[in-house]
């Protein structure tokens, strides 16, 4: 076999190998620098059509990119703002008239009045569920009794010597209620009527918005207030593809526009309930409300000072991984090969057909992928036109 025949045989062999490979071009969609876990399937796959039997004889034109040696660093930076947690809405439970209401921004502590109905205070208690019945002597046992007794003890109207905190309403419970009612300046009945206590899972709240109007009638489920915790949070609105990097419980760094940085922990991911009155609620391309990530700041004193200053801007940083002095190729140059694994097509000098080279993938950041294999800096790899 002469040299020309050997070259022709090598070209045909490479073409057959290329036709047997399942070619899938991979693209990474993203906004700000995003680390993509290949094993988690974060790459969006699209089929690359294979050619016919004679495609090797007439190779299609292609673009190339140069294999580069660089340092990749993953992570995420998103601009946000300081504020408080999403508000809880408080509704009246009993009939009457709103006779006194707080102001926006007021802070109310445990055992203190939130507002008044018929000149009687409606007080904040701490617990996991609201009161759903009148609390009085002769009632059946229940967890609401335990919440009542726990709050009366915490407020100093009972102690372990005269009241056992349990689910039983006893004479000691009634006496503790009377001491509490005396301090409030209301009739000492020894019972708690419906609508006289608001139970929330906080020791103190901040009034976000006063919904009710003084002098208007209060009926069952009449909106009264919107309140938040006193804690300062940072909130961000990431893109959908960034959410995997922001799981609840993960730690982040929050840089304040007012100066300094504070560690934070992601506490929740919610979504805007719907359009606001201006109709400009941020939405994703499919019409869904964008996610909102809440981050509790560790140094509340510094966070509160920044919020009070009016400079509420903040930048949230998620630390990522780093790969130094590695070879990288565009993500769009990657092929999924037959039998698993990945490869790239290398354009060799003097050859009409690119050579398929298997690679191992490392860190992927934005549109660059770390690769290991029979490659060297300066090699040319095929990318789609």
């Amino acid at each position: 076999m002469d040299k020309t025949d050997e070259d022709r045989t090598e070209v045909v062999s490479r073409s057959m190998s290329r036709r047997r490979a399942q070619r899938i071009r991979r693209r990474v969609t993203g906004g700000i620098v995003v680390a993509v876990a290949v094993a988690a399937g974060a790459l969006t796959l699209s089929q690359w059509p294979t050619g016919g039997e004679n495609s090797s004889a007439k190779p299609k034109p292609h673009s190339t990119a140069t294999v580069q040696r660089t340092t990749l660093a993953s992570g995420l930076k998103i601009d946000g703002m300081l504020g408080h947690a999403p508000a809880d809405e408080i509704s009246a439970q009993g009939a009457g008239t709103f006779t006194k209401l707080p102001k926006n921004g007021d802070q109310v502590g445990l055992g203190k009045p939130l507002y008044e109905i018929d000149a009687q205070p409606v007080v904040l208690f701490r617990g996991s569920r609201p009161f759903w019945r009148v609390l009085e002597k002769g009632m059946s046992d229940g967890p609401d009794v335990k919440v009542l007794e726990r709050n009366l003890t915490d407020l100093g109207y009972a102690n372990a010597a005269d009241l056992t905190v349990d689910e039983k309403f006893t004479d000691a419970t009634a006496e503790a209620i009377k001491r509490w009612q005396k301090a409030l300046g209301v009739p000492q009945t020894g019972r708690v009527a419906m609508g006289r206590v608001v139970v929330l899972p906080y020791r103190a709240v901040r009034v976000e918005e006063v919904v009710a109007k003084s002098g208007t009638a209060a009926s069952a489920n009449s909106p009264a207030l919107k309140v938040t915790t006193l804690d300062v949070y940072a909130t961000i609105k990431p893109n959908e593809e960034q959410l995997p990097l922001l799981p609840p419980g993960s730690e982040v760094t929050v840089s304040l526009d007012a100066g300094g940085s504070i560690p934070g922990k992601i506490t929740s991911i919610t979504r805007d309930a719907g359009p606001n009155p201006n109709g400009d609620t941020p939405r994703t391309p499919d019409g869904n409300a964008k996610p909102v990530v809440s981050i509790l700041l560790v140094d509340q004193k510094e966070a509160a000072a920044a919020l009070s200053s009016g400079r509420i801007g903040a930048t949230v940083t998620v630390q990522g991984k780093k790969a130094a002095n590695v070879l990288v190729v565009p993500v769009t140059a990657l092929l999924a090969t037959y039998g698993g694994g990945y490869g790239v097509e290398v354009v060799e000098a003097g050859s009409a057909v690119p050579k398929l080279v298997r690679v191992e993938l490392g860190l992927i950041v934005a549109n660059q992928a770390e690769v290991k294999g029979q490659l060297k800096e300066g090699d040319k790899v095929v990318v789609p036109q």
Side-chain angles (χ1 to χ4, degrees):
M1 181 181 298
D2 58 23
K3 181 63 175 176
T4 302
D5 291 337
E6 288 179 356
D7 292 342
R8 186 180 299 111
T9 299
E10 182 180 359
V11 170
V12 172
S13 176
R14 290 179 178 176
S15 300
M16 292 177 67
S17 175
R18 284 159 53 82
R19 288 198 302 271
R20 284 195 299 266
Q22 295 179 349
R23 298 178 179 180
I24 303 174
R25 290 292 180 192
R26 297 173 171 258
R27 297 183 180 178
V28 175
T29 59
I32 308 171
V33 182
V34 179
V36 182
V38 175
L43 296 176
T44 302
L45 307 184
S46 59
Q47 186 69 38
W48 186 13
T50 56
E53 287 298 318
N54 296 325
S55 63
S56 62
K58 297 179 180 180
K60 295 181 180 181
H62 51 251
S63 298
T64 62
T66 302
V67 177
Q68 298 180 338
R69 185 173 294 279
T70 187
T71 296
L72 292 181
S74 67
L76 190 64
K77 285 190 176 182
I78 305 179
D79 290 335
M81 63 178 59
L82 301 181
H84 297 276
D88 293 294
E89 185 171 271
I90 297 173
S91 296
Q93 289 182 304
T97 301
F98 289 107
T99 53
K100 186 176 182 180
L101 293 164
K103 298 182 178 66
N104 291 348
D106 282 356
Q107 296 182 6
V108 180
L110 184 68
K112 300 298 183 180
L114 285 160
Y115 55 93
E116 289 183 359
I117 292 181
D118 294 344
Q120 298 292 307
V122 177
V123 175
L124 173 67
F125 272 9
R126 184 183 185 187
S128 59
R129 65 178 71 186
F131 292 165
W132 66 90
R133 56 182 176 169
V134 176
L135 300 172
E136 59 186 348
K137 192 172 181 180
M139 68 182 297
S140 60
D141 298 346
D144 48 350
V145 178
K146 188 173 184 178
V147 171
L148 170 65
E149 293 178 338
R150 170 54 61 197
N151 280 270
L152 292 174
T153 301
D154 289 346
L155 291 169
Y157 300 109
N159 55 52
D162 54 34
L163 177 63
T164 300
V165 176
D166 56 18
E167 297 189 354
K168 298 181 182 295
F169 194 106
T170 65
D171 289 340
T173 309
E175 290 303 315
I177 292 174
K178 290 178 181 180
R179 288 191 287 271
W180 167 58
Q181 290 173 328
K182 182 179 180 180
L184 287 176
V186 300
Q188 300 169 44
T189 62
R191 66 194 293 270
V192 180
M194 282 289 293
R196 294 304 171 185
V197 169
V198 172
V199 182
L200 293 173
Y202 320 118
R203 291 190 62 87
V205 297
R206 170 185 171 274
V207 178
E208 179 79 10
E209 180 184 354
V210 178
V211 181
K213 301 294 184 182
S214 182
T216 60
S219 58
N221 300 320
S222 295
L225 309 174
K226 292 182 180 180
V227 300
T228 70
T229 67
L230 303 185
D231 292 329
V232 178
Y233 287 73
T235 58
I236 55 175
K237 296 184 177 181
N239 297 322
E240 294 290 333
E241 61 269 17
Q242 296 168 339
L243 281 181
L245 296 177
L246 299 164
S250 59
E251 297 180 353
V252 299
T253 300
V254 181
S255 300
L256 307 176
D257 283 3
S261 296
I262 304 176
K265 178 176 289 187
I266 295 175
T267 57
S268 66
I269 299 175
T270 58
R271 291 183 183 273
D272 290 328
N276 62 27
N278 297 323
D280 58 358
T281 296
R283 292 188 173 271
T284 59
D286 61 6
N288 293 325
K290 289 190 66 174
V292 178
V293 177
S294 297
I295 301 158
L296 179 62
L297 302 178
V298 172
D299 189 336
Q300 282 293 305
K301 185 176 181 180
E302 184 176 355
L307 184 61
S308 299
S309 73
R311 300 181 64 185
I312 63 173
T315 301
V316 175
T317 301
V318 179
Q319 297 300 326
K321 298 179 180 179
K322 184 176 182 179
N325 195 33
V326 295
L327 295 177
V328 300
V329 298
V331 171
T332 49
L334 297 175
L335 304 171
T337 59
Y338 180 78
Y342 304 89
V344 293
E345 291 184 309
V346 178
V347 178
E348 297 179 312
S351 175
V353 180
K355 177 183 177 181
L356 182 63
V357 175
R358 293 185 179 274
V359 295
E360 294 181 8
L361 298 188
L363 184 63
I364 297 177
V365 177
N367 65 342
Q368 290 187 307
E370 175 192 355
V371 291
K372 299 176 182 178
Q374 299 300 313
L375 293 174
K376 63 181 183 297
E377 185 178 359
D379 282 347
K380 303 291 185 181
V381 295
V382 175
V383 294
Q385 287 187 324

